Amino acid sequence: MILVFFLISILSSAAGSICGIGGGVIMKPVLDAAEIMSVSGISFLSGCTVLAMSIVSVYKNMHGKRVPLQLQTVVILAIGAAAGGVMGKVLFQMLKHVVGNENLVGMVQAVVLAVITLGTLLYTVCKRRIHTLQCRQSWIVFLIGLLLGILSSFLGIGGGPINIVVLEYFFSMRVKEAAPSSLFVIMFSQAAGLTQTLLSGSLPPVPPAFLAVMIAGGITGGMIGSRVSRKLEERMVNRLFVMLMAIIVGISIRNAVIFCGGM
């Protein structure tokens, strides 16, 4: 079973690093579908793995063949995402406490993820016909980062595909620029969310061995993905992104049905 967790984390993190979606958006629904751990446990494992992967990917991007970033914009987004990361974790704990049913929490996560991913897929397919924006006001950039942090932390997916769409639409970034920018934002939101979890004492019961192999897989996948990403053409990254989104929508819908049946 540990080997399965390792393989899922390394493959998800590698693909997530290439596309800038963090890996958690693949990892979380796949682990939910396996039904081998609680929703809280999977969210925590996914968040820790994505944090490890994003740190490695950002480091590799900074010391490799660097893609020019809109640095001021990305930093403000990251600050907003850090605040949102804390709020997302609080929201998750509140929902779990209020409903008292992890299957219902899992169903809410799966439905929200399916809707977001489907919207992302539709945008990606039609984006050549969509006029993008150039947001520069700091307070708007901060609010966008805040919302990204809340969503990613609540869903336990890191940043997911929504980061890429937001960076492309609101800031007119190309995919090769949006991917490393997304990972930078993910790193801040996940670090803040994990800190909040530790300080609040709301750690779910997760076997240390599973956490260790997931983080190891996340780091390894991040290193592989960063190296591969620099060699791929933008259209190949786009194709991989679209394929992953279609798969995630299908898995998320399946998970929502399963969680609904378990309530």
Side-chain angles (χ1 to χ4, degrees), residues 36-57:
I36 50 182
M37 193 174 291
S38 69
V39 171
S40 298
I42 290 173
S43 293
F44 177 72
L45 283 177
S46 176
C48 289
T49 306
V50 168
L51 175 59
M53 183 279 296
S54 62
I55 290 172
V56 171
S57 297

Side-chain angles (χ1 to χ4, degrees), residues 103-121:
N103 281 325
L104 180 54
V105 175
M107 187 190 72
V108 171
Q109 286 183 319
V111 170
V112 173
L113 182 57
V115 171
I116 289 174
T117 307
L118 181 59
T120 301
L121 178 60

